[in-house]
Amino acid sequence: METRGIEPVPEAERRARPRELFSTWVAANISVLLLTMGAGLVVTGGLNFWQVLVVSLVSPVLSYGLVGLISIAGKRGGAPGMTLSRAVFGQRGNLFPGALIWVARWGWETINAVTGAYAGLTVLDILFGIRPSTPLTIIVLVAFVGCTFVISGLGRKVLNICTAWSTYLFGAFSVLVLVHLLMASDWSAVFGRPAGPTAMMVTGVGTVAAGGISWVPSAPDFTRYIPRSAPGGALVGYAVGGAGLVVAPMVMMGAVMAVSVPDLSSTSDPVSFLGELLPTWIAVPYLLMALVGMLLINSMSMYSAGFTALTLGVRVPRAWAVSVNAVISLILGYLLINVVQNFIGSFVSFLSLLAVAFSAWIGVFGADMLRRDSYDAAALMDTSRTSAYWYHGGFAWPAMTAWACALVVGLLFTRVDWFSGPLASSWPGRNGLGWLATIVVSAVLYMVLPKRAGS
């Protein structure tokens, strides 16, 4: 069990290697929701095979390029991302973006818990003919979240072992699905689709990339055990490569499936839908892999959420800090399964709002990285007025101002089921690039705002 909390890892204890990150970012993307995104690019976006291919390749480069760049801060400071954020926003100021990002994690973990529960219920139905019911749903959801809590509570070494094996298993089972698609798909229909508008390609890139953006604040959490001497380019390369290995083929598989089964893009339960779409000999192992993937994604998210809770002042051991998010994801997961009917709509709306909260932080933190190459370990852990990161009343006002302004700007570009900003109809808003505009605004504002000594 990993016993270290948010305190920076001494250089002598940093024995991790950059290549371990490859399986980490593979595991972070093993989600059947990528299939529904790929289907949506064809059915809703009207894109053809080659356009979807471009979207599936560009999206992970854009989003996980940012993940890799921000992860460099982890090896520089040896601490989790939200703890390093104290150096940017101030000891008190960091509580604001930290709390917002922590709350956003609740939704991400809830989405994953619900998808994992769907996978478990579907496998039980296929193998044993056990039909879903409310009591069974609760049991499967509790079991899923419980496993997530155990893995994330044990910490980094267990996560590394699990993500490494999941990479091998995902590759093997994906080959089965690809073979089935090669044999069963109407390729003349797949390649015969006319090209869609370029604007929809841009929208597709923005939508698919938004999922990766949500991992950026957590990126340093997985690199703090890597020596400072490790090349930063390797961290970026393994992040992009690991994510691309999953995102591109799964988005493409969803696009190919949608040509003959367009309902894949709008199903309320993408997991059971796949159980009906694929032959049993492929569906069962693939859904089991989807279950493992959701379990690991949630474990990684809770692992990071535990650090965020500790940074916000929750005074418990790291292993127990993740229990707070576990309980919340159980409650929200039950509500999402039994109350909210439009699952995919809720998912897309959540991603849109999530990207705003994360993007405002990314721009400020990333711009700050350009002017600092180290972090004061003692100052990070000192939350009193004596801390070098206390600044002015506990706030670094240039960072806080840039973050707050960018948050408002991001909301102006956002449109979800229950909210539409006045700039949602602009080019960035229409094309799902509000998160990118938010990052640019926050970074530029932070760089141009005057800074007094010590801030």
Side-chain angles (χ1 to χ4, degrees):
M1 178 182 290
E2 182 182 359
T3 57
R4 184 177 298 279
I6 60 175
E7 63 272 16
V9 181
E11 186 67 28
E13 298 180 23
R14 300 194 198 178
R15 302 185 181 90
R17 300 180 180 182
R19 66 168 177 262
E20 295 175 4
L21 297 172
F22 182 81
S23 60
T24 296
W25 299 120
V26 167
N29 288 278
I30 302 177
S31 170
V32 295
L33 294 173
L34 287 171
L35 296 178
T36 62
M37 284 187 173
L41 294 176
V42 171
V43 177
T44 305
L47 304 183
N48 65 15
F49 179 89
W50 302 111
Q51 289 176 312
V52 175
L53 178 61
V54 172
V55 170
S56 69
L57 293 175
V58 172
S59 299
V61 172
L62 183 61
S63 57
Y64 284 90
L66 284 173
V67 169
L69 288 172
I70 298 299
S71 74
I72 295 174
K75 79 179 183 72
R76 288 179 179 177
M82 293 316 300
T83 304
L84 296 174
S85 184
R86 288 173 170 176
V88 183
F89 292 90
Q91 293 288 358
R92 286 178 173 173
N94 189 53
L95 297 176
F96 288 85
L100 196 57
I101 289 175
W102 189 41
V103 171
R105 282 278 171 222
W106 300 351
W108 182 250
E109 290 154 11
T110 299
I111 292 293
N112 288 326
V114 168
T115 308
Y118 279 146
L121 292 170
T122 301
V123 170
L124 289 175
D125 187 16
I126 293 175
L127 290 180
F128 307 107
I130 303 176
R131 300 297 299 172
S133 63
T134 299
L136 182 61
T137 299
I138 296 174
I139 292 172
V140 173
L141 187 63
V142 170
F144 181 89
V145 175
C147 290
T148 299
F149 171 70
V150 170
I151 294 174
S152 56
L154 288 173
R156 185 183 69 90
K157 289 186 178 180
V158 173
L159 274 172
N160 285 347
I161 293 172
C162 292
T163 56
W165 277 103
S166 70
T167 300
Y168 301 136
L169 292 172
F170 169 77
F173 292 143
S174 292
V175 169
L176 291 178
V177 177
L178 287 172
V179 169
H180 171 71
L181 288 179
L182 286 172
M183 298 173 60
S185 299
D186 182 356
W187 289 100
S188 61
V190 171
F191 290 114
R193 290 182 59 86
T198 303
M200 291 308 300
M201 292 180 64
V202 177
T203 301
V205 169
T207 302
V208 177
I213 294 301
S214 67
W215 284 110
V216 176
S218 301
D221 303 2
F222 303 101
T223 58
R224 66 192 191 123
Y225 285 92
I226 292 177
R228 282 182 56 89
S229 59
L235 275 58
V236 177
Y238 283 121
V240 172
L245 182 67
V246 182
V247 173
M250 291 198 73
V251 169
M252 292 305 300
M253 284 191 290
V256 171
M257 290 178 181
V259 173
S260 56
V261 190
D263 289 345
L264 176 60
S265 66
S266 58
T267 176
S268 61
D269 180 358
V271 180
S272 61
F273 189 91
L274 289 175
E276 300 171 0
L277 183 62
L278 298 172
T280 303
W281 65 276
I282 294 179
V284 172
Y286 199 70
L287 290 176
L288 286 173
M289 189 64 242
L291 182 59
V292 171
M294 291 294 100
L295 184 63
L296 290 178
I297 290 174
N298 235 28
S299 297
M300 291 173 60
S301 182
M302 281 194 184
Y303 178 72
S304 291
F307 291 135
T308 304
L310 293 175
T311 302
L312 293 175
V314 177
R315 299 184 181 279
V316 295
R318 184 206 61 82
W320 289 105
V322 300
S323 64
V324 178
N325 277 51
V327 172
I328 292 172
S329 64
L330 268 177
I331 297 172
L332 296 181
Y334 174 80
L335 294 175
L336 188 58
I337 290 176
N338 292 281
V339 178
V340 180
Q341 301 299 317
N342 184 9
F343 176 75
I344 296 300
S346 300
F347 174 68
V348 173
S349 296
F350 167 71
L351 275 184
S352 300
L353 293 178
L354 178 86
V356 174
F358 283 58
S359 299
W361 179 90
I362 292 169
V364 175
F365 190 88
D368 183 81
M369 283 181 62
L370 297 176
R371 68 188 191 104
R372 91 168 68 230
D373 60 4
S374 63
Y375 297 83
D376 186 330
L380 286 173
M381 300 307 296
D382 181 4
T383 58
S384 70
R385 296 176 181 273
T386 61
S387 174
Y389 297 142
W390 186 255
Y391 301 129
H392 306 283
F395 296 87
W397 290 109
M400 292 297 298
T401 302
W403 174 77
C405 291
L407 193 61
V408 173
V409 169
L411 292 175
L412 295 179
F413 284 108
T414 301
R415 177 187 285 120
V416 294
D417 292 344
W418 59 87
F419 171 80
S420 180
L423 298 180
S425 298
S426 64
W427 189 86
R430 290 196 314 273
N431 292 289
L433 296 177
W435 58 267
L436 184 57
T438 305
I439 292 175
V440 172
V441 168
S442 60
V444 171
L445 274 178
Y446 180 70
M447 287 188 289
V448 301
L449 284 174
K451 300 173 183 62
R452 298 178 182 177
S455 63

